[in-house]
């Protein structure tokens, strides 16, 4: 994660802070996620049955796509010097816009929407995130993601 002074990070509020590298979503990743979560719906794990749906093949779980935000954020979200700990606080809003077909690549586009000191040394950050699907107009998802950072 990029490191900067709190004042430098605050100056980026309202700005796009970065775009993550692409991540391929292959069938093995989808199957592994199904095993971990117990969500074996056929649209995710049965290529033959999923081919008969409007998706034309298997699609990633929405929660799989959402779970990749941590990996995407690692290369673009700023953290302050003196970071002691960062925790995921949740989401204001998440919307799954378009299906992610097996074999597609995704990347996250991050905007720092706000930051506020809640207590001395405890900062709450809000990031607007759009997860793009390579070669597709509609994104996989949009989210307003809240994190708390302790310095």
């Amino acid at each position: 994660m990029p490191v900067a002074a709190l004042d430098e990070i605050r100056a980026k509020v309202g700005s796009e802070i970065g775009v993550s590298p692409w991540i391929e979503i292959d069938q093995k990743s989808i199957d592994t996620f199904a095993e971990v979560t117990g969500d074996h719906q056929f649209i995710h794990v049965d290529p033959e049955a999923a081919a008969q749906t409007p998706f034309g093949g298997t699609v990633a779980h929405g929660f799989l796509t959402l779970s990749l935000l941590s990996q995407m954020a690692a290369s673009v979200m700023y953290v302050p010097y003196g970071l002691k700990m960062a925790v995921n606080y949740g989401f204001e809003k998440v919307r799954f816009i378009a299906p992610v077909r097996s074999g597609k690549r995704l990347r996250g586009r991050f905007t720092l929407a706000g930051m506020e000191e809640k207590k001395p040394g405890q900062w709450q950050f809000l990031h607007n995130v759009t997860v793009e699907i390579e070669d597709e107009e509609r994104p996989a998802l949009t989210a307003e993601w809240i994190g708390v950072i302790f310095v």
Side-chain angles (χ1 to χ4, degrees):
M1 292 184 148
V3 181
L6 281 167
D7 287 342
E8 293 174 297
I9 298 170
R10 187 180 296 115
K12 295 181 182 305
V13 170
S15 301
E16 182 177 290
I17 58 168
V19 179
S20 74
W22 291 106
I23 300 170
E24 184 173 349
I25 306 302
D26 59 14
Q27 191 60 49
K28 181 179 178 195
S29 297
I30 295 169
D31 292 342
T32 300
F33 191 83
E35 282 300 313
V36 169
T37 62
D39 182 350
H40 298 279
Q41 186 177 170
F42 79 95
I43 62 171
H44 305 304
V45 298
D46 185 339
E48 289 181 20
Q52 304 307 311
T53 70
F55 300 131
T58 56
V59 295
H61 305 73
F63 286 137
L64 168 56
T65 304
L66 186 66
S67 74
L68 293 172
L69 290 183
S70 295
Q71 181 179 341
M72 293 174 184
S75 63
V76 298
M77 275 190 184
Y78 285 86
V79 296
Y81 293 112
L83 174 72
K84 293 179 182 172
M85 178 175 62
V87 295
N88 182 3
Y89 192 68
F91 296 89
E92 287 294 341
K93 181 172 27 171
V94 175
R95 294 291 180 264
F96 299 106
I97 310 296
V100 177
R101 291 168 180 80
S102 178
K104 284 291 192 170
R105 295 192 327 157
L106 304 175
R107 69 179 178 188
R109 186 172 296 276
F110 292 78
T111 297
L112 178 58
M115 63 183 281
E116 178 182 355
E117 189 171 27
K118 293 295 193 174
K119 297 178 184 176
Q122 180 181 332
W123 290 84
Q124 183 171 298
F125 285 70
L126 177 65
H127 289 89
N128 292 333
V129 186
T130 301
V131 175
E132 301 172 340
I133 307 168
E134 188 173 38
D135 299 324
E136 294 193 21
E137 288 184 32
R138 296 176 61 213
L141 69 82
T142 59
E144 296 175 6
W145 189 12
I146 306 167
V148 178
I149 292 179
F150 298 85
V151 292

